[in-house]
Amino acid sequence: MTNLNKAAITAVGGYVPETILDNAQLEKMVDTSNEWIVARTGINERRILSNPEKATSDMAAEAVKNLLASSGINPAEIECLILATSTPDKLLAPTAPVVCDKAGLTNAWGFDLNAACSGFLYALSVGSSLIESGRHKKVLVIGADAMSRIVDYTDRNTCILFGDGAGAVLLEPSADYGLQDFILKTDGAGSEFLSIAVGGSLNPFHEDTLQERQHFVRQDGKTVFKNAIAGMTGVCTEITDRNTLAAEDIDWVIPHQANIRIINAVADNLKMPMDKVKVNIQRYGNTTAATIPLCLWDFQADFKPGDKLLLTAFGAGFTFGSSYLVWGN
Ligand code: COA
């Protein structure tokens, strides 16, 4: 009997809102310039969920519907949905059940997972374990974030970086292909360098903190930058060593899209030529948990069965990780 003990990505879907926020528009909002943003981040434009009646669940549901339509999978067959997000529709209740409802997944249970920009990798690891254990045969893993809802558009240190979007993958059992290995890490000492100070159990909302705009994302960009390069380089080196893979054995690197200079530095450290590294940051900015699945969605036509992919992410927490994936199903 064939041993179907790996979880393969068998379908991919994505969604980005129609509204574009480009660098020229940001020049009118904060003291910045197109030249500075392109040179320092590699970003030209981002998508914004401009409809105030829509939220993360709507983008996630659209990504799921896109996946189901392109793969012909019946929504009733989906057994579990894991939603990686830092921007749930509400602090309480969870957003995953809303996504199941909006996408017509009548038989799925689901939950949210918050690991910031590493959320998709963490969720992929949990989802693949559900497949490997034999407990489930069809698990959806989504990365979705409406960053425009938590970004301060008067703060030039953050507002130029982020955008909105959602990406989804379907995991199914496979004998030959799929997710081979994960290295996932956290460093809670980094928590203060990228966070929203107010609104959680530590500092509940208060009118004073609202005036001080503390309900928006704040970061120490330089510290995050340095840790992102070191963190992603470390976990990529560890996972390639553990799987006896040389740089030339890897066909594609799918890095979290935070800053083109971070991506270039990690690729350089890994001696990975940039033509193997997938980049779409120029069009979407940093969509937090959605960057990796949006890359898989954008570039899936380039991946051949048997191609070896290296996924890596770094985010608030700090959280970081890598995954080694053999494409195909
Ligand atoms: N437009 C113009 N100037 C800006 C600016 C903007 N949007 N943002 C900052 N500056 C200024 C700074 O005020 C500073 O001016 P000063 O020298 O007079 O003090 C100068 O540009 C350099 O700032 P610095 O912070 O050193 O820039 P940087 O090269 O580190 O780039 C980030 C800033 C935020 C782009 C970069 O640090 C970064 O990408 N960090 C990681 C952030 C990230 O990825 N977060 C999510 C993690 S998943």
Side-chain angles (χ1 to χ4, degrees):
M1 199 180 103
T2 319
N3 184 15
L4 298 175
N5 63 350
K6 293 277 187 246
I9 294 179
T10 59
V12 184
Y15 173 80
V16 287
E18 277 175 24
T19 303
I20 291 174
L21 175 64
D22 65 19
N23 293 347
Q25 289 165 278
L26 282 166
E27 283 179 353
K28 297 187 190 118
M29 297 159 69
V30 290
D31 180 16
T32 191
S33 67
N34 176 52
E35 292 69 28
W36 193 96
I37 300 172
V38 172
R40 307 306 291 167
T41 71
I43 302 167
N44 294 315
E45 60 185 42
R46 335 91 196 105
R47 300 302 182 100
I48 300 294
L49 190 62
S50 55
N51 182 341
E53 287 171 17
K54 300 284 181 187
T56 295
S57 63
D58 296 288
M59 295 194 296
E62 287 303 322
V64 171
K65 286 183 201 165
N66 174 261
L67 179 152
L68 295 172
S70 62
S71 61
I73 306 268
N74 179 345
E77 287 178 53
I78 305 299
E79 295 160 283
C80 176
L81 178 152
I82 309 174
L83 175 68
T85 188
S86 301
T87 52
D89 288 10
K90 302 171 182 174
L91 278 179
L92 181 79
T95 304
V98 182
V99 179
C100 292
D101 188 42
K102 286 181 175 169
L105 311 181
T106 47
N107 294 313
W109 66 286
F111 60 95
D112 297 4
L113 185 155
N114 179 347
C117 296
S118 308
F120 180 77
L121 275 193
Y122 278 35
L124 206 55
S125 167
V126 176
S128 71
S129 301
L130 290 173
I131 297 286
E132 286 164 10
S133 70
R135 185 167 296 181
H136 288 308
K137 299 273 180 282
K138 282 188 171 55
V139 174
L140 278 176
V141 176
I142 306 173
D145 270 301
M147 294 305 290
S148 65
R149 301 292 163 85
I150 58 168
V151 160
D152 183 351
Y153 285 98
T154 68
D155 174 16
R156 70 177 184 174
N157 291 305
T158 51
C159 73
I160 57 151
L161 295 171
F162 294 101
D164 302 338
V169 301
L170 178 64
L171 298 181
E172 293 185 272
S174 171
D176 304 314
Y177 300 108
L179 291 152
Q180 310 292 315
D181 199 6
F182 287 92
I183 291 177
L184 302 170
K185 300 200 179 196
T186 50
D187 175 8
S191 173
E192 64 185 288
F193 299 113
L194 174 51
S195 68
I196 299 178
V198 161
S201 59
L202 182 63
N203 292 307
F205 289 115
H206 184 273
E207 57 190 284
D208 292 346
T209 56
L210 197 67
Q211 295 295 328
E212 291 158 6
R213 305 178 79 79
Q214 289 194 43
H215 52 294
F216 289 119
V217 180
R218 297 282 179 244
Q219 71 167 348
D220 172 345
K222 270 197 195 318
T223 302
V224 176
F225 189 93
K226 284 186 209 148
N227 280 276
I229 295 170
M232 287 195 280
T233 301
V235 288
C236 286
T237 305
E238 222 176 294
I239 206 166
T240 48
D241 285 355
R242 187 155 94 179
N243 290 277
T244 22
L245 294 163
E248 19 330 338
D249 298 325
I250 301 291
D251 296 290
W252 305 107
V253 181
I254 318 289
H256 170 54
Q257 313 278 307
N259 184 319
I260 191 64
R261 293 186 294 137
I262 295 176
I263 296 172
N264 286 337
V266 173
D268 202 38
N269 290 344
L270 300 174
K271 306 204 171 10
M272 207 65 79
M274 278 306 287
D275 57 4
K276 286 186 176 185
V277 182
K278 293 303 190 190
V279 174
N280 61 9
I281 192 172
Q282 64 278 12
R283 285 183 288 130
Y284 302 143
N286 181 350
T287 55
T288 303
T291 61
I292 291 178
L294 278 176
C295 266
L296 294 174
W297 182 55
D298 264 357
F299 298 113
Q300 55 184 317
D302 295 346
F303 310 145
K304 298 184 303 297
D307 276 1
K308 295 182 172 69
L309 275 63
L310 178 62
L311 281 45
T312 187
F314 184 93
F318 293 131
T319 57
F320 49 117
S322 60
S323 178
Y324 163 42
L325 160 70
V326 178
W327 192 256
N329 56 62

